[in-house]
Amino acid sequence: MITVTEDMPAREAARVLAGQDLPGLIVVDGKGRPVTVLVGTQVLRMAMPSYCLDDPALARVIDEAAADVILKGIGDRTVADLLPRDRRELPAVSPRATLLEVAAVMARSATPLVAVVDEHRVMTGAITLDGLLDRILLT
Amino acid sequence: MITVTEDMPAREAARVLAGQDLPGLIVVDGKGRPVTVLVGTQVLRMAMPSYCLDDPALARVIDEAAADVILKGIGDRTVADLLPRDRRELPAVSPRATLLEVAAVMARSATPLVAVVDEHRVMTGAITLDGLLDRILLT
């Protein structure tokens, strides 16, 4: 699963992300239309105590398991709550996009995960940077 | 291999990146000390023609294989030439860093790849976001 919904508990989304080797998750609305891409470091950022972000060395003094701190940091928030206010441009392409077009969208959005959407903006697939580079440079 | 050197041809670095499922490459100097982390979308960004970055749909009209355009875009530049002028803070931790400290460094730098360095700043290993999340949330 590469998609999560905005109303999903953020803890569950973090576990979905941890459970697979993907650079991020695509957040979709109730109609299956991608809203934004959530990359893994954003999830960590929302979960970490702010003093750890200011000075990561301070994380060393926390005498608590990392999972507990992060899950407590996420708390009962939903995926929608984790999304940054200034959302990135949605990286999405049509099923007819060329490899070069996908590369341009990834480069422009600085996001290694792009949604493929049909003419109704409903998600029909996804392309990762790894998958794209494999296709472009290894074939 | 997760490291490249600054004097390596950038085309070769792109192929190294394509050849493995890693979120980026760690650029090291001649003494094996990490200089910066190069993420995959940065490589694409440096290689793409600028009009494609401005409007990815224009990539569709290019009647040339994506590999040719990207490799031509990289040209004879070295890895050093690809590095952005305003380098990100180097995401690095000591071998004694806690999981939470690594998470804080990743969140702060927004980079899903962190170098592990010894007391002489020589790289001894690397941690990916996937690996970190596996350790934190799946155990």
Side-chain angles (χ1 to χ4, degrees):
Chain A
M1 184 173 62
I2 199 165
T3 59
V4 292
T5 54
E6 287 183 290
D7 58 354
M8 183 186 276
R11 288 164 179 247
E12 201 180 318
R15 286 209 185 84
V16 170
L17 188 65
Q20 50 202 334
D21 283 350
L22 285 172
L25 297 169
I26 296 172
V27 184
V28 295
D29 68 14
K31 292 182 171 163
R33 292 174 303 204
V35 177
T36 190
V37 170
L38 189 63
V39 297
T41 52
Q42 283 178 298
V43 176
L44 284 183
R45 193 171 180 88
M46 299 304 285
M48 296 298 294
S50 58
Y51 62 88
C52 289
L53 291 176
D54 294 339
D55 182 0
L58 287 179
R60 248 179 265 173
V61 305
I62 299 182
D63 187 24
E64 200 176 355
D68 294 338
V69 174
I70 287 177
L71 293 176
K72 198 192 293 170
I74 294 175
D76 294 326
R77 286 184 285 178
T78 63
V79 168
D81 296 329
L82 286 204
L83 299 178
R85 277 171 206 280
D86 53 332
R87 289 194 188 170
R88 310 165 171 233
E89 178 182 328
L90 173 70
V93 295
S94 91
R96 293 173 309 283
T98 62
L99 290 177
L100 203 59
E101 189 178 346
V102 178
V105 169
M106 280 189 191
R108 182 184 158 96
S109 63
T111 307
L113 181 61
V114 163
V116 180
V117 296
D118 67 15
E119 67 274 28
H120 305 294
R121 310 290 300 166
V122 172
M123 187 169 144
T124 60
I127 303 168
T128 63
L129 176 66
D130 277 327
L132 180 77
L133 288 180
D134 285 357
R135 281 286 301 277
I136 291 182
L137 295 178
L138 297 183
T139 52
Chain B
M1 183 172 66
I2 198 166
T3 59
V4 293
T5 54
E6 286 182 290
D7 57 355
M8 183 186 278
R11 288 164 180 248
E12 200 179 318
R15 286 209 185 82
V16 170
L17 188 66
Q20 51 201 334
D21 284 349
L22 285 171
L25 297 169
I26 296 172
V27 184
V28 295
D29 68 14
K31 291 181 172 163
R33 293 174 303 202
V35 177
T36 190
V37 170
L38 188 63
V39 297
T41 52
Q42 283 178 297
V43 175
L44 284 182
R45 195 173 178 85
M46 300 304 285
M48 296 298 295
S50 59
Y51 62 89
C52 289
L53 292 175
D54 294 339
D55 182 0
L58 287 180
R60 249 180 265 171
V61 304
I62 298 182
D63 186 25
E64 201 176 357
D68 294 338
V69 174
I70 287 175
L71 293 176
K72 198 193 292 170
I74 294 175
D76 294 326
R77 287 184 285 177
T78 63
V79 167
D81 296 329
L82 286 204
L83 299 177
R85 278 170 204 281
D86 52 330
R87 288 195 189 169
R88 310 166 172 233
E89 179 181 329
L90 174 71
V93 296
S94 91
R96 294 173 311 283
T98 62
L99 290 177
L100 203 58
E101 189 178 345
V102 177
V105 169
M106 280 188 192
R108 181 184 159 96
S109 64
T111 305
L113 181 62
V114 163
V116 181
V117 295
D118 68 15
E119 67 273 30
H120 305 293
R121 309 290 300 167
V122 172
M123 186 169 145
T124 60
I127 302 168
T128 63
L129 176 67
D130 277 326
L132 180 78
L133 288 179
D134 284 355
R135 282 287 302 278
I136 290 182
L137 296 178
L138 298 182
T139 52

